[in-house]
Amino acid sequence: MVQARQKNFRAFVFTQGNEQETIAYIEKNFVLLKDFLMVFTYPIKSNSTNNLSLYHYLVSKNLNFIESLEIKQGEAKGQIHLSLENSNTQSTILPNNKSNLESQNTETKNPQTKPTLVLHRTIRSGEEIITQGDLTIFGRINSGAHIQSEGNIQIFGEINGNIFCNGDYMILGKVGEGNILFGGEILDKELLQHSQNKIYKTQNKILIEELQ
């Protein structure tokens, strides 16, 4: 009997870093990264016997990852390791096989053509809000909630969930247990302790300021 299930992944690409730096980074941001397919464009196996190798660390943490030394036109070549929840089954694709890395949203429409979604309520734990346009929330984001927008995000309330923004800016209330991903970069929560945070990018550098 054939058994199959669909499992969607968001990808997070690591482009450089040594083993110990990468392990420390994943440990620091584990709550956020555990839900991603991690793509490594550098080798994750080593012959070192003094330290835990990155590969064995990823396996021990039951994380989903792929070693891809060549990424072109949305294709990846390398070894894929997928850990399915509530199962010890692991799927491996050996080198020279191809796997298409598709983004969760395949539409290429300009997010500015989408209307702004405005919510006047608390976003509960386990709730997922995904939009192609701008998003404004007048309420708290509880732990375990997931917010994702291809446009700009404004949240006027305490944030304890995960926020993913691919727009030009964010305005966020105080960040508690939450994790913030802006333009593909994880933000240091120690810099997000204002009551209102203004986050934007200029000359490829992310700036975080207190909203006056």
Side-chain angles (χ1 to χ4, degrees):
M1 178 182 294
V2 175
Q3 295 183 347
R5 60 181 297 187
Q6 179 181 358
K7 189 172 179 67
N8 296 323
F9 290 97
R10 293 180 292 271
F12 194 93
V13 180
F14 290 81
T15 57
Q16 65 179 14
N18 63 42
E19 285 192 334
Q20 296 310 307
E21 287 175 339
T22 305
I23 290 173
Y25 184 84
I26 295 172
E27 278 288 317
K28 180 180 179 181
N29 300 287
F30 184 81
V31 174
L32 179 64
L33 293 175
K34 66 182 177 63
D35 297 323
F36 278 79
L37 170 62
M38 285 178 274
V39 181
F40 295 90
T41 62
Y42 50 88
I44 60 176
K45 288 186 177 181
S46 73
N47 297 322
S48 173
T49 58
N50 297 325
N51 297 308
L52 178 66
S53 74
L54 176 56
Y55 175 84
H56 290 98
Y57 167 80
L58 295 167
V59 172
S60 70
K61 290 292 187 178
N62 237 11
L63 296 170
N64 304 294
F65 62 89
I66 172 175
E67 178 186 291
S68 176
L69 305 184
E70 180 182 359
I71 298 180
K72 291 182 179 179
Q73 298 178 347
E75 294 182 341
K77 296 180 180 179
Q79 177 173 288
I80 298 177
H81 176 282
L82 302 180
S83 298
L84 304 180
E85 50 188 3
N86 301 322
S87 171
N88 292 324
T89 303
Q90 297 177 353
S91 175
T92 300
I93 300 179
L94 297 177
N96 299 323
N97 283 288
K98 296 182 179 180
S99 174
N100 290 329
L101 297 180
E102 299 178 351
S103 61
Q104 187 173 14
N105 296 309
T106 57
E107 297 183 3
T108 58
K109 297 179 181 179
N110 187 338
Q112 294 182 355
T113 65
K114 300 284 186 178
T116 299
L117 175 63
V118 181
L119 301 175
H120 296 267
R121 61 180 177 85
T122 296
I123 308 303
R124 302 181 302 275
S125 178
E127 190 171 356
E128 188 173 72
I129 306 294
I130 300 176
T131 177
Q132 290 287 319
D134 292 351
L135 174 63
T136 299
I137 299 175
F138 295 95
R140 187 175 66 253
I141 311 299
N142 285 349
S143 176
H146 173 86
I147 306 297
Q148 180 175 329
S149 176
E150 293 300 311
N152 306 310
I153 291 180
Q154 300 179 93
I155 299 176
F156 300 95
E158 184 176 349
I159 297 168
N160 291 302
N162 295 329
I163 310 297
F164 303 83
C165 178
N166 288 319
D168 297 321
Y169 72 87
M170 288 192 293
I171 295 175
L172 303 179
K174 186 174 182 180
V175 179
E177 300 176 2
N179 297 281
I180 311 299
L181 195 74
F182 179 55
E185 296 185 40
I186 298 175
L187 303 187
D188 188 343
K189 288 187 286 186
E190 294 182 359
L191 303 177
L192 295 166
Q193 292 305 307
H194 304 300
S195 58
Q196 292 291 328
N197 300 274
K198 177 183 176 182
I199 305 158
Y200 62 100
K201 184 177 289 189
T202 179
Q203 296 179 346
N204 293 323
K205 181 179 180 181
I206 294 177
L207 300 179
I208 302 173
E209 302 173 353
E210 183 176 10
L211 184 65
Q212 302 296 328

